[in-house]
Amino acid sequence: DTPRVFLNMGNVYFKKHDFQKALENYEKSLEICYLKDYNNPNIANILTNIGLVLYEKKEYEKAIEYYQKAYEILRKIDSNDFNHPNLASILNFIANAYFYKDENEKALEYYKRSYDVLNIIYGHDLSHPDMISIVNNINNAKLTIPNYDIFS
C-alpha cells in the first residue's frame, strides 16, 4: 500500500525532528490517497500528521486548518460515533494550537469539547491518563484567562 509507505516514512522523519521531510512524505501519501479516491480514516490520519508537523514548525493557523479537515472527515466516516478517541485527540490538538496562539478562550472551548468526548468514552474515571491530561489542559487554559473563575 503506497500511501502507507509514505505515511510511515513521514512518521520516521517526524520522530527524527526532520519536519520538512516528514511533511513531504505526508503530502505524497495524501496525494496518492486523493488520486485513488480513498475516503477513509487514513486521510484523516495523514491530515492530522500534517497538522502536527505544522504545529512543530509553529505554523499554528495552518495546523488548525489541517486538524479541522481531519476532524470533519472522521465525523463523516463515523457519523454515529462521536465518541471516537481520535476525535478527542484532534480536538485537543486544535486546542493546543489555539493555546500557543494565545487564543486561550478558544483553546478552552476545544479542550472542553475533547473532555466531553473522553468523558463519554471513559466515564468519570479521572484516573485515566487521557482524562488527567485533558483536565490539566483545561485548568492551564483557565489560569491564562484574566478574571476567569477557575472553579466554574
Side-chain angles (χ1 to χ4, degrees):
D1 185 0
T2 308
R4 171 99 29 225
V5 170
F6 285 110
L7 177 63
N8 290 339
M9 287 173 53
N11 291 341
V12 169
Y13 285 119
F14 186 87
K15 288 178 184 171
K16 290 182 169 189
H17 298 274
D18 188 339
F19 300 120
Q20 190 55 45
K21 285 187 180 177
L23 185 59
E24 290 168 9
N25 280 279
Y26 292 147
E27 288 173 340
K28 285 179 189 174
S29 181
L30 186 62
E31 181 181 329
I32 294 167
C33 283
Y34 281 144
L35 288 175
K36 291 187 173 188
D37 196 32
Y38 282 103
N39 189 17
N40 60 43
N42 288 334
I43 292 176
N45 185 27
I46 297 165
L47 291 169
T48 301
N49 287 1
I50 291 172
L52 291 170
V53 168
L54 295 168
Y55 176 87
E56 289 296 330
K57 294 175 75 174
K58 299 185 183 347
E59 296 179 33
Y60 302 123
E61 196 60 43
K62 284 184 183 178
I64 290 167
E65 290 174 24
Y66 278 90
Y67 295 145
Q68 288 176 330
K69 288 178 188 177
Y71 180 83
E72 289 306 317
I73 288 172
L74 278 182
R75 287 288 302 264
K76 286 178 188 172
I77 292 169
D78 294 326
S79 61
N80 295 324
D81 185 8
F82 300 120
N83 310 321
H84 195 285
N86 288 348
L87 291 175
S89 294
I90 292 170
L91 291 168
N92 190 60
F93 294 149
I94 293 170
N96 288 341
Y98 278 121
F99 187 81
Y100 283 98
K101 286 181 62 181
D102 289 324
E103 294 183 32
N104 300 322
E105 290 179 9
K106 281 279 254 197
L108 181 58
E109 171 191 335
Y110 280 92
Y111 285 137
K112 286 181 175 182
R113 288 177 60 189
S114 179
Y115 173 87
D116 291 342
V117 173
L118 291 173
N119 195 41
I120 293 168
I121 295 168
Y122 302 119
H124 296 287
D125 181 7
L126 293 177
S127 66
H128 190 281
D130 290 347
M131 293 294 283
I132 292 169
S133 178
I134 198 64
V135 168
N136 185 51
N137 288 347
I138 288 169
N139 287 332
N140 284 338
K142 286 179 178 180
L143 287 171
T144 63
I145 299 170
N147 303 319
Y148 191 90
D149 180 7
I150 192 156
F151 299 107
S152 65

